[in-house]
């Protein structure tokens, strides 16, 4: 028979074994749960960090598709000057439809007031533009004997060949712009008149 003292010792040993076993069970269970949680959260955290880092780098570098303010983009398309306000001489010209050589010209600049020395209209030249071109003529109500000579200047210097027309005639006026800043066209009638017309003047790339 087991003595009373032996029973107490056995009970104590059993309790210690149970305690140690429980402690190991709790430890390994907790450890397994932590590993599982780290495994599920780790890639997400990494992706978030990478996304933030790449976004910051893109914003700092300006991006390959952005256009710097100091280098405005040019479209390379034709610029119709009647669609914009002149930079010089606007008070002497009117924009709107006019009849030249029996044909309606909806995109035209017509001299509103002129005299022996004529008046010019000028526009700043867009970057990338190389040529000025327009058709010129006189309104159909102009004096049939009144010739008008059109000349082009770039930064005050004459360029291209002058063109002279009479009522019922239409001719092309063209000039190279070079590296100029402003192009202007002067109409020089022999007598005071209100009839010189620039038909759809444009800047070409």
């Amino acid at each position: 028979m087991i003595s009373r003292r032996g029973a107490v010792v056995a009970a104590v040993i059993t309790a210690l074994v149970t305690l140690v076993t429980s402690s190991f069970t709790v430890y390994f269970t907790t450890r397994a749960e932590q590993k599982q949680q780290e495994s599920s959260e780790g890639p997400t955290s990494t992706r978030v960090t990478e996304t933030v880092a790449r976004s910051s780098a893109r914003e700092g570098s300006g991006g390959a598709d952005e256009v710097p303010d100091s280098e405005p983009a040019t479209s390379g398309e034709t610029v119709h000057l009647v669609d914009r306000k002149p930079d010089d001489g606007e008070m002497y010209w009117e924009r709107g439809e006019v009849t030249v050589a029996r044909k309606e010209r909806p995109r035209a600049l017509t001299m509103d007031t002129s005299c022996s020395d004529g008046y010019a209209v000028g526009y700043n030249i867009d970057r990338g533009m190389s040529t000025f071109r327009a058709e010129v003529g006189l309104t159909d109500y102009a004096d049939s004997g009144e010739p008008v000579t059109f000349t082009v200047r770039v930064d005050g210097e004459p360029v291209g060949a002058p063109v002279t027309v009479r009522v019922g005639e239409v001719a092309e006026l063209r000039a190279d712009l070079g590296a100029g800043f402003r192009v202007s066209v002067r109409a020089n009638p022999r007598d005071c008149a209100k009839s010189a017309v620039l038909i759809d003047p444009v800047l070409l790339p």
Side-chain angles (χ1 to χ4, degrees):
M1 295 181 64
I2 301 174
S3 65
R4 184 177 180 182
R5 182 176 181 181
V8 171
V9 171
V12 170
I13 292 173
T14 300
L16 289 174
V17 170
T18 302
L19 178 61
V20 171
T21 301
S22 300
S23 298
F24 276 104
T25 300
V26 172
Y27 172 79
F28 286 111
T29 300
T30 304
R31 184 64 177 171
E33 292 177 350
Q34 290 178 345
K35 288 184 177 180
Q36 184 177 1
Q37 183 176 3
E38 291 173 355
S39 176
S40 62
E41 294 179 351
T44 301
S45 301
T46 301
R47 286 195 297 269
V48 171
T49 302
E50 290 178 352
T51 301
V52 172
R54 291 174 182 173
S55 297
S56 299
R58 188 180 299 111
E59 292 172 358
S61 63
D65 297 332
E66 295 181 9
V67 180
D69 292 338
S70 59
E71 296 292 336
T74 55
S75 64
E77 297 179 353
T78 299
V79 176
H80 294 269
L81 296 178
V82 294
D83 295 333
R84 63 171 56 177
K85 181 178 180 181
D87 293 287
D88 182 42
E90 180 185 21
M91 68 287 294
Y92 305 122
W93 298 78
E94 291 183 347
R95 288 178 287 179
E97 185 175 289
V98 66
T99 302
V100 177
R102 299 187 178 91
K103 184 177 179 179
E104 296 297 324
R105 315 287 178 164
R107 306 173 69 88
L109 282 172
T110 305
M111 185 179 287
D112 180 50
T113 304
S114 66
C115 213
S116 58
D117 60 347
Y119 290 100
V121 61
Y123 296 87
N124 291 344
I125 300 169
D126 294 50
R127 182 177 301 177
M129 299 296 110
S130 64
T131 305
F132 169 85
R133 190 198 70 82
E135 288 187 317
V136 295
L138 305 181
T139 59
D140 282 359
Y141 58 75
D143 184 348
S144 61
E146 176 191 5
V148 174
T149 300
F150 293 83
T151 56
V152 181
R153 291 176 178 264
V154 173
D155 297 336
E157 297 297 325
V159 293
V163 174
T164 300
V165 292
R166 289 179 168 79
V167 66
E169 299 176 344
V170 174
E172 183 183 68
L173 183 67
R174 179 183 289 263
D176 292 333
L177 300 175
F181 178 80
R182 180 174 295 166
V183 59
S184 61
V185 181
R186 178 176 291 273
N188 293 313
R190 292 182 179 176
D191 299 310
C192 294
K194 297 173 61 176
S195 58
V197 181
L198 296 177
I199 302 168
D200 195 17
V202 296
L203 301 181
L204 304 172

